[in-house]
Amino acid sequence: MNKSPLILAFLSILIVTIACSAPKNRNQTSEDVPTHFLQDKTFLEKYDPQLIELSTEDKQAKVLVSPKYQGKVFTSTAAGDDGESFGWINYEAFEGPLDKHMNAYGGESRLWLGPEGNTFSLFFEPGKKMEFENWHTPAAIDHEAWEKIEAGPRDVSMARSTSITNYQGTEFALKIQRTITLLEKEGIIANTGLTADVSSIKMVGYETINSIQNTGDFPWTRETGAPCIWVLDMFKPSPETTIVLPLQPNETKAGLTTNYFGTIPEERIAITNNHLFLKADGQSRGKVGVFPERALSMAGSYDPLHKVLTITTFDIAPELPYLNQEWNTEADPFKGDVVNAYNDGPLEDGSQMGPFYELESVSPAAFLSPGESMEHFHHVYHFTGNENELDKITRQLLGISIAEINGVFNPK
């Protein structure tokens, strides 16, 4: 049947309206329109009706926390519901069957347990070859729901009891717990020690207290193996975002791991006496790590396209052993990284989970007797506003100017 010009015009308007109002692909780069906080909240509430929103008194700084999704902080904003949403969320992962390797829901702060590799790995069954087909994320930190212990306007505590068997066949009984506390602006300034005038800067910051308890009947030792706490933050990249890892001064590359997924192209990584830089555009897969003797208790990134500075801070105990996370059984299992950074990119078959990038921190090995616990503190801060004001923050916290950060991979 032929349609009248009036009906055709109406249908055209309807199609355009639907297309414009449909959610954008969450795997977008920040060359697209940034996701607003309320968009992500509306999506997440479809899958988790008990999603928890924490907010400051002025309702500008907010975070979304989900006990159902393993205690994740999914995202945050510094400017209310209409403000930019800082966390990377993988919309596609919420539908369909569970993935046997990892259910990558995303989220700008999640708690995992290590080690991923080595002779005491928690991700490979005893005797299995360490290759992707045999790699499985433990259910309690992948897809099982956690219990909400208590929640207030600016904090929430969650926990999960479980058992995990490592590569040696040791079965650990443990309880995982984390508390998320949203900070008011005064708390952010006090925690970071900022002395510059940042009154014009919008900011959001929160503390995560992550703990594991040995609920079994034997101590965790060098013979049985021991877990560690692993906190990973997933953020949205842009073509000009740069990761900055401050280092203990050293004229060599000692204490650095830069070949997790092969050699990183030289145009994507830079190392000085005091900093390691990694390009965070989500277009090339690469991971770096810093050993305790070179690490400082801070990591950061800067996105000049959206004027967003991200800072993470965490505990470091350089006198204690950290775990090797590499997929091999040859290296010393008790010599590993304190802090890691990852830039996502296409796999060999052209597929890609992201794009996103990560800032990560880990605890020392948890050599715990029955009933004992270990805590690991990890803070996330986002600052956004005038670049001259942000420059004061990078100089004080990262020991480098905005211009220097921008010039590492994008010289003018």
Side-chain angles (χ1 to χ4, degrees):
M1 180 175 67
N2 293 331
K3 297 179 173 66
S4 71
L6 183 60
I7 293 176
L8 289 172
F10 171 77
L11 289 174
S12 297
I13 293 171
L14 180 62
I15 291 170
V16 170
T17 301
I18 292 173
C20 291
S21 61
K24 286 186 176 288
N25 182 346
R26 295 307 108 167
N27 293 338
Q28 63 190 358
T29 68
S30 57
E31 291 177 296
D32 301 313
V33 177
T35 309
H36 289 174
F37 182 81
L38 184 59
Q39 289 176 283
D40 279 340
K41 178 183 176 182
T42 301
F43 172 83
L44 291 168
E45 285 179 331
K46 294 190 300 183
Y47 296 90
D48 183 5
Q50 279 72 54
L51 185 71
I52 296 170
E53 178 182 288
L54 308 178
S55 64
T56 52
E57 290 186 1
D58 64 5
K59 308 299 182 183
Q60 291 300 293
K62 299 183 176 187
V63 300
L64 296 177
V65 184
S66 174
K68 177 182 177 181
Y69 288 97
Q70 305 78 55
K72 289 179 173 63
V73 177
F74 267 116
T75 193
S76 65
T77 187
D81 285 347
D82 294 328
E84 182 175 350
S85 187
F86 296 123
W88 178 79
I89 300 173
N90 185 9
Y91 276 40
E92 296 176 357
F94 291 80
E95 298 181 353
L98 290 175
D99 187 286
K100 67 178 182 177
H101 299 293
M102 171 192 176
N103 289 275
Y105 302 111
E108 70 168 77
S109 180
R110 73 180 189 275
L111 189 157
W112 262 16
L113 300 175
E116 182 178 354
N118 91 44
T119 54
F120 299 110
S121 170
L122 302 181
F123 288 69
F124 292 93
E125 295 178 7
K128 294 285 188 179
K129 185 178 180 181
M130 290 193 178
E131 59 186 15
F132 183 75
E133 181 58 30
N134 299 323
W135 178 78
H136 305 285
T137 308
I141 55 173
D142 180 67
H143 59 266
E144 292 181 346
W146 290 21
E147 177 187 1
K148 181 179 74 173
I149 305 302
E150 59 181 346
R154 283 181 290 283
D155 58 80
V156 56
S157 296
M158 303 154 287
R160 174 77 189 188
S161 294
T162 189
S163 64
I164 303 175
T165 300
N166 73 3
Y167 196 69
Q168 293 294 317
T170 303
E171 183 178 354
F172 300 104
L174 52 89
K175 181 179 181 180
I176 318 165
Q177 187 163 343
R178 77 185 321 214
T179 298
I180 312 298
T181 301
L182 180 66
L183 302 171
E184 296 285 349
K185 190 170 186 177
E186 295 76 16
I188 296 173
I189 293 172
N191 274 13
T192 57
L194 281 173
T195 56
D197 179 10
V198 291
S199 57
S200 66
I201 295 294
K202 293 182 179 180
M203 61 184 74
V204 58
Y206 54 92
E207 173 187 73
T208 73
I209 305 175
N210 310 276
S211 70
I212 51 175
Q213 180 184 25
N214 180 347
T215 57
D217 57 6
F218 63 90
W220 301 343
T221 67
R222 285 178 176 265
E223 288 68 42
T224 64
C228 68
I229 300 168
W230 189 3
V231 178
L232 306 95
D233 305 326
M234 305 176 84
F235 305 117
K236 292 177 290 189
S238 84
E240 296 185 17
T241 298
T242 299
I243 290 170
V244 184
L245 303 184
L247 304 174
Q248 297 282 3
N250 193 314
E251 294 182 0
T252 73
K253 296 182 180 179
L256 306 177
T257 306
T258 60
N259 60 347
Y260 274 98
F261 303 117
T263 302
I264 299 173
E266 61 180 14
E267 67 272 16
R268 293 185 160 272
I269 187 171
I271 301 170
T272 68
N273 292 351
N274 300 292
H275 296 91
L276 186 156
F277 304 94
L278 184 68
K279 193 172 180 64
D281 60 356
Q283 300 302 311
S284 180
R285 194 164 180 251
K287 180 177 178 178
V288 298
V290 186
F291 275 29
E293 60 265 29
R294 292 297 306 276
L296 295 175
S297 56
M298 183 175 294
S301 64
Y302 183 62
D303 174 4
L305 297 183
H306 298 95
K307 305 296 187 289
V308 176
L309 170 65
T310 297
I311 299 287
T312 64
T313 62
F314 33 82
D315 293 342
I316 286 183
E319 72 282 2
L320 298 177
Y322 284 78
L323 301 178
N324 188 303
Q325 306 263 23
E326 296 173 285
W327 289 15
N328 71 68
T329 58
E330 304 301 322
D332 182 347
F334 298 106
K335 186 173 178 57
D337 299 323
V338 170
V339 56
N340 296 96
Y342 172 77
N343 182 52
D344 190 45
L347 299 173
E348 291 182 0
D349 62 3
S351 64
Q352 185 172 356
M353 184 188 302
F356 59 87
Y357 71 93
E358 289 182 324
L359 301 177
E360 311 170 10
S361 74
V362 296
S363 75
F367 295 126
L368 301 176
S369 296
E372 287 185 337
S373 299
M374 169 186 276
E375 290 184 334
H376 179 64
F377 288 74
H378 183 106
H379 297 76
V380 178
Y381 308 101
H382 299 288
F383 304 91
T384 183
N386 181 278
E387 201 164 74
N388 290 330
E389 299 299 309
L390 294 174
D391 182 73
K392 299 175 184 177
I393 301 175
T394 64
R395 287 176 182 271
Q396 182 176 345
L397 300 186
L398 298 176
I400 192 171
S401 69
I402 289 283
E404 289 174 298
I405 296 173
N406 290 342
V408 173
F409 301 117
N410 307 291
K412 302 301 182 184

